[in-house]
Amino acid sequence: AEDVCQTEYEAHLPSVSTAKINEALVAVRDNYIDSAFHIWIGLNCSAEGEWYWLDGTPYDESQSNQVPGQGIVLDKTYCNSAGNIAFVLDKDGYWQAINDWEEYPSAICTIRYGVSLRFSWTSKLLCPAGYVRFDDDGETWCFVWNVPLLPANSVGFEDALSACEHRQGETLPIPQSAELSDVLQELRLSPAGDSIWLGIVCNMGTLQLEWEDGTPVSFNKFEEEPPENCTDVSHYAQTRFETWQLQDSDKELSTYVCVRRASTTLPPLPTLQPSLNCNYDMHFMNGWCYAFAKAPAGSNFQVIT
């Protein structure tokens, strides 16, 4: 679970250092996951025999909120980095000591509001957390799934195009090769999922189709040969059969994908609900940003310290 938090969100399992954070964590778990679920917390034991929070926050004995009568004193006697002791927040909001090989279907990741863990390297191309990276013919692309904001449950071409452009100039997918088209199919939420909007637009000067970034549509998988002259409602989507199909002007799809080229720095992405002041796909509560991860089908999360 900690590994997922770090790799997907550059975050950590929760540091429950105050009663308010404990209450907030219970509220997040109850409202967004399930009140009956146990949730890993980030209390860990160092090699020196000291308790600490995984984000580096020092541990104080006064913070303890253990299950009444459990009888574990959080001192060096029980702090053994090889002792396989980990803690979860139980259904009543108490900390329960368990074996760290136990597994649970969901996890909550947190990062302090205002603390950015996005670094830059001069020699490494990066994708933001939560994006899928793909290298194609010397270029590195970053793909991210999006769903319409509630109460909407579908999105038209223009709205999807605008939403991507709002995220620091991202575009709808520009599959200029068979490999990129294949990647787009792999990103599908399910084999029978909806079609995916493509970043094909009409150049109203030449009346020819082109990609959003102005490059010509040289590689294509058009289901039918496009008309000789395009119009401002010539919008295409990649179907589950990996063909590019002309859509009706009022067509709406259940999800959309945004794409950006990887770069050596990661600009902060604009805020979109329900993220508020947090990284994309994280929720803000009591000064912390929370993300909700679900284990792949048929498996559970195990704590990794």
Side-chain angles (χ1 to χ4, degrees):
E2 171 67 7
D3 184 55
V4 169
C5 288
Q6 289 192 33
T7 56
E8 294 296 323
Y9 301 102
E10 299 183 14
H12 296 278
L13 292 174
S15 298
V16 195
S17 54
T18 68
K20 279 191 173 182
I21 293 176
N22 201 102
E23 292 172 5
L25 196 59
V26 171
V28 169
R29 187 269 313 276
D30 292 355
N31 284 291
Y32 290 98
I33 303 178
D34 190 310
S35 60
F37 281 17
H38 287 184
I39 297 296
W40 292 112
I41 61 175
L43 189 60
N44 195 28
C45 181
S46 72
E48 293 75 28
E50 299 288 343
W51 292 102
Y52 72 101
W53 297 105
L54 287 169
D55 69 351
T57 301
Y59 172 75
D60 187 299
E61 289 184 13
S62 64
Q63 301 169 0
S64 179
N65 186 34
Q66 293 184 73
V67 174
Q70 188 170 56
I72 290 184
V73 179
L74 296 184
D75 58 17
K76 290 189 177 182
T77 303
Y78 287 93
C79 182
N80 180 345
S81 59
N84 301 320
I85 293 178
F87 287 86
V88 293
L89 191 77
D90 72 9
K91 62 184 180 63
D92 298 313
Y94 292 112
W95 305 356
Q96 182 175 335
I98 61 168
N99 295 316
D100 64 5
W101 60 75
E102 298 288 344
E103 297 185 344
Y104 296 100
S106 299
I108 293 179
C109 307
T110 65
I111 183 174
R112 285 187 184 277
Y113 170 55
V115 175
S116 175
L117 296 181
R118 296 190 179 100
F119 301 96
S120 63
W121 292 261
T122 56
S123 59
K124 184 178 179 181
L125 292 175
L126 305 172
C127 288
Y131 286 59
V132 174
R133 172 178 169 146
F134 183 74
D135 297 309
D136 177 61
D137 195 24
E139 285 195 282
T140 302
W141 296 86
C142 309
F143 297 79
V144 64
W145 268 103
N146 299 276
V147 294
L149 299 178
L150 294 174
N153 56 15
S154 60
V155 60
F157 176 84
E158 293 296 342
D159 287 340
L161 182 70
S162 176
C164 290
E165 290 177 346
H166 182 61
R167 296 174 60 82
Q168 295 291 319
E170 292 180 1
T171 68
L172 291 171
I174 301 177
Q176 295 175 311
S177 68
E179 290 75 18
L180 287 174
S181 179
D182 291 344
V183 170
L184 205 54
Q185 291 300 98
E186 293 298 324
L187 287 173
R188 187 174 302 281
L189 293 177
S190 68
D194 210 346
S195 299
I196 303 169
W197 287 120
L198 297 174
I200 296 177
V201 296
C202 181
N203 184 319
M204 297 308 294
T206 64
L207 298 183
Q208 297 299 304
L209 295 174
E210 64 183 23
W211 294 111
E212 243 185 285
D213 63 1
T215 55
V217 183
S218 49
F219 168 82
N220 75 78
K221 289 192 172 184
F222 290 122
E223 191 171 273
E224 297 180 358
E225 188 68 23
E228 183 176 349
N229 295 323
C230 62
T231 70
D232 59 355
V233 293
S234 298
H235 306 321
Y236 286 82
Q238 181 164 303
T239 70
R240 63 190 181 94
F241 302 109
E242 205 169 342
T243 59
W244 299 357
Q245 187 181 73
L246 181 64
Q247 304 294 308
D248 294 335
S249 60
D250 58 351
K251 177 72 174 181
E252 294 196 345
L253 303 177
S254 60
T255 62
Y256 61 101
V257 173
C258 293
V259 178
R260 66 165 57 230
R261 284 181 170 84
S263 62
T264 55
T265 60
L266 293 178
L269 297 180
T271 295
L272 293 177
Q273 294 179 348
S275 306
L276 298 178
N277 295 311
C278 300
N279 293 349
Y280 181 66
D281 274 349
M282 300 189 82
H283 298 253
F284 182 80
M285 184 177 293
N286 280 20
W288 286 78
C289 302
Y290 295 84
F292 314 108
K294 289 189 177 295
S299 64
N300 291 302
F301 279 133
Q302 181 179 3
V303 69
I304 300 174
T305 59

